[in-house]
Amino acid sequence: MPLQTAAMTDEVLRLTLDRPNSLNALNVELLSRLASEISKADGEYEVLIIEGAGDAFTAGADLEEEESAGDLFQEITHAVRAFDGIVIGKLHGWVVGGGFEWTLSFDICYAAPDTTFKLTESEVGVTITNGSSLLLPMAIGSPKAKELIYTSRELDAREAEELGLVAGVYDRTELDQQVRDVALDLVENKSHTALRLNKHVLNHAADLDAVMEREEIVNEYCHEIEEMSW
């Protein structure tokens, strides 16, 4: 199975991308399962932890199935934002493309020192999606966001922490404990109502749905132009 689910407690669910031999490349089956499990967890769990098995969080889209993936990447972003509780990203290794874009919608992210972020869209001939045209400049400022998008340069964990893309960097053994401690603190010591409503107002500070619709139109146009140039 490309996605593993495990309840840490009655209120905390761990979702693990599990295609380690392909660095958790995102194929149609994995994308579909992930969207389904996030939606199914809504109302049943207060915290989701999303992580990757093996040597990476995800190497991004499975290029062999990229065309058939369609809107599935956007469905993950919509599902994460619609989930009433808190979504924690536990990151290590490669965090690439659509996987990087997803982290911008996660509520909190923690990373291992070996984590490397990369937006490959300009290299492979597609445009950014998942609300990244709004969320990335909001997170790190427009000049730095444009640099990462245009140059596709790699971003290490420490720089990501300095820019505010992750809340902290921890050694792999400490990372697991940190994520667990935060998840348990949220469910045991915080008001679930306040968490949900704070997430709601943060998510609706801007009209991300309209942004994502525009991104999809531009991305489809980019595909058409790229195909004509081959």
Side-chain angles (χ1 to χ4, degrees), residues 119-138:
L119 289 170
T120 55
E121 285 80 350
S122 293
E123 290 182 338
V124 300
V126 297
T127 61
I128 55 171
T129 54
N130 293 292
S132 304
S133 62
L134 175 67
L135 297 176
L136 187 59
M138 284 177 61

Side-chain angles (χ1 to χ4, degrees), residues 4-9 12-15:
Q4 300 297 325
T5 65
M8 181 184 295
T9 71
V12 181
L13 180 67
R14 188 187 299 267
L15 301 177

Side-chain angles (χ1 to χ4, degrees), residues 44-228:
E44 184 174 352
Y45 293 93
E46 297 297 331
V47 175
L48 291 183
I49 298 169
I50 303 180
E51 62 184 359
D55 295 329
F57 177 69
T58 176
D62 188 326
L63 297 181
E64 294 182 1
E65 298 188 21
E66 186 176 18
E67 290 294 327
S68 55
D71 296 333
L72 286 172
F73 279 93
Q74 325 304 323
E75 288 185 22
I76 306 299
T77 296
H78 285 303
V80 166
R81 289 171 58 81
F83 178 74
D84 270 347
I86 302 302
V87 178
I88 301 175
K90 179 186 170 190
L91 311 176
H92 74 285
W94 286 109
V95 183
V96 175
F100 182 169
E101 293 174 352
W102 287 344
T103 67
L104 300 172
S105 288
F106 292 172
D107 297 298
I108 309 173
C109 288
Y110 297 103
D114 68 344
T115 307
T116 302
F117 296 82
K118 183 178 174 69
L119 289 170
T120 55
E121 285 80 350
S122 293
E123 290 182 338
V124 300
V126 297
T127 61
I128 55 171
T129 54
N130 293 292
S132 304
S133 62
L134 175 67
L135 297 176
L136 187 59
M138 284 177 61
I140 66 175
S142 182
K144 186 61 70 174
K146 288 179 178 179
E147 184 214 7
L148 295 179
I149 293 164
Y150 298 157
T151 68
S152 298
R153 79 168 176 86
E154 297 174 7
L155 184 72
D156 66 29
R158 291 300 175 189
E159 186 177 0
E161 182 182 27
E162 291 170 4
L163 290 173
L165 289 171
V166 299
V169 177
Y170 299 86
D171 291 337
R172 289 289 292 273
T173 53
E174 296 175 347
L175 177 63
D176 193 62
Q177 189 62 50
Q178 170 67 13
V179 170
R180 181 182 180 86
D181 288 348
V182 170
L184 294 178
D185 177 59
L186 291 174
V187 298
E188 293 174 0
N189 302 317
K190 303 298 184 289
S191 162
H192 296 178
T193 299
L195 289 174
R196 292 192 191 100
L197 293 178
N198 277 320
K199 176 170 180 172
H200 175 82
V201 295
L202 286 166
N203 278 352
H204 291 84
D207 188 356
L208 193 69
D209 289 339
V211 171
M212 292 176 68
E213 288 178 12
R214 183 173 65 250
E215 288 175 344
E216 276 298 288
I217 292 170
V218 173
N219 195 39
E220 289 174 9
Y221 179 70
C222 183
H223 272 292
E224 293 174 5
I225 299 299
E226 286 288 318
E227 288 176 359
M228 289 170 60

